[in-house]
Amino acid sequence: MEKKKITKVIIGIPLILFFILCFLFISESKEWTSISLYFKKRKANEVIQKIESFKEKKHNYPQKLSDVGYPEPDESGPFFYNYVDSTTYRLWFGWGLGESVTYDSRTKEWDH
């Protein structure tokens, strides 16, 4: 009888700790997400700086990202670029499952 109680305690304590850690991870994930988004936008803003610098020199936005020294993205990015016309472009990156964050050169703002 005594061995069964000890076995339950030995199994029970790690399970309780596991559930506590899961709860803490889930509750902190929103903060982690906003920190990750900050750094992703920061890197994207570097790309925007190069695009805007290109326009100052050539009086036109680049046709593709490789025109400003970035490799053309594959299906996972990291960034995607859409040349609309000589005065407009969009830059975006995937964020979460089925979500994206988009920069519009007309408004100079991020939309997510």
Side-chain angles (χ1 to χ4, degrees):
M1 189 78 155
E2 195 66 33
K3 286 185 177 182
K4 287 184 179 181
K5 285 183 182 180
I6 292 173
T7 304
K8 287 180 181 179
V9 170
I10 290 173
I11 293 173
I13 290 175
L15 277 174
I16 291 170
L17 290 174
F18 173 76
F19 286 115
I20 290 171
L21 288 173
C22 286
F23 173 77
L24 290 173
F25 177 76
I26 290 169
S27 65
E28 293 295 321
S29 66
K30 287 183 181 177
E31 185 175 311
W32 177 251
T33 298
S34 62
I35 291 170
S36 298
L37 180 60
Y38 167 79
F39 283 109
K40 189 88 171 192
K41 272 188 180 178
R42 192 168 140 185
K43 185 67 177 166
N45 283 328
E46 292 174 14
V47 176
I48 291 168
Q49 291 282 332
K50 287 196 174 189
I51 292 169
E52 294 297 335
S53 178
F54 183 96
K55 184 171 196 274
E56 285 180 25
K57 293 176 188 169
K58 309 269 184 170
H59 307 289
N60 195 11
Y61 284 120
Q63 296 286 322
K64 52 192 178 208
L65 282 179
S66 60
D67 293 341
V68 292
Y70 289 93
E72 288 304 310
D74 59 17
E75 62 273 354
S76 63
F79 302 106
F80 302 94
Y81 175 78
N82 179 23
Y83 172 85
V84 178
D85 58 38
S86 63
T87 62
T88 308
Y89 71 90
R90 287 184 197 88
L91 184 76
W92 72 95
F93 57 89
W95 190 249
L97 185 60
E99 296 182 38
S100 64
V101 180
T102 305
Y103 177 83
D104 189 325
S105 65
R106 291 174 294 172
T107 62
K108 308 266 190 242
E109 293 182 5
W110 288 99
D111 179 33
H112 41 87

